[in-house]
């Protein structure tokens, strides 16, 4: 079993920055993609970014490309989402998730929440105007 715990959310003014962390515990990872999603009230869960656990390859949604950076520290079993130039529209609960892949591209199914096996409980990010 894998446990994911997000932290680092909070209240920030527009234009500011936050770094979210996702600490993973449990089984060792192989052929794993870690993703960040967010969900605002009344909206669908939105894919933000993904990273391959071993290689560190990254994949971003167009909406956050150039503002958000995903990274990982394998020794700490932790994935990060650095968020810069935050906007009020970024206000949401942010989730990390874990997906195993068997074949094909790392990110062929990265944008699909249903393909992820484990989810954290989320951390609230609120951006004020």
């Amino acid at each position: 079993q894998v446990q994911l715990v997000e932290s680092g959310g909070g209240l920030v003014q527009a234009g500011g920055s936050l770094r979210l962390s996702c600490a993973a515990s449990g089984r060792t990872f192989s052929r794993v993609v870690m993703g960040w999603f967010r969900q605002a009230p009344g909206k669908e869960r939105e894919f933000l970014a993904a990273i391959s656990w071993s290689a560190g390859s990254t994949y971003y949604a167009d909406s956050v490309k150039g503002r958000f950076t995903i990274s990982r520290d394998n020794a700490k079993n932790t994935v990060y989402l650095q968020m810069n130039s935050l906007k009020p529209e970024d206000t949401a609960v942010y989730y990390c998730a874990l997906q195993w892949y068997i074949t094909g591209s790392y990110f062929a199914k990265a944008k699909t929440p249903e393909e992820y096996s484990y989810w954290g409980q989320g951390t609230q990010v609120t951006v004020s105007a």
Side-chain angles (χ1 to χ4, degrees):
Q1 188 174 0
V2 175
Q3 182 116 18
L4 305 176
V5 180
E6 301 96 337
S7 62
L11 176 64
V12 65
Q13 293 183 344
S17 299
L18 285 173
R19 188 178 74 161
L20 307 183
S21 299
C22 174
S25 62
R27 63 175 292 175
T28 57
F29 300 149
S30 61
R31 297 186 178 274
V32 164
V33 166
M34 298 293 297
W36 282 100
F37 292 78
R38 67 186 179 191
Q39 189 165 24
K43 294 187 176 181
E44 299 287 330
R45 190 160 295 192
E46 178 189 10
F47 169 77
L48 301 173
I51 187 167
S52 62
W53 190 256
S54 296
S57 301
T58 59
Y59 178 68
Y60 295 94
D62 289 342
S63 61
V64 303
K65 198 173 298 181
R67 296 194 300 127
F68 292 8
T69 303
I70 189 170
S71 62
R72 88 277 191 263
D73 185 336
N74 289 11
K76 296 181 178 180
N77 285 345
T78 300
V79 178
Y80 305 96
L81 186 69
Q82 178 67 46
M83 306 186 295
N84 299 326
S85 302
L86 284 164
K87 308 172 183 178
E89 309 93 89
D90 295 318
T91 296
V93 177
Y94 284 68
Y95 299 90
C96 66
L98 182 152
Q99 176 187 120
W100 279 287
Y101 64 92
I102 299 174
T103 187
S105 171
Y106 294 150
F107 306 123
K109 300 179 179 180
K111 298 171 68 174
T112 306
E114 291 76 15
E115 296 296 326
Y116 288 81
S117 298
Y118 296 94
W119 292 84
Q121 294 301 305
T123 185
Q124 177 71 46
V125 172
T126 302
V127 184
S128 62

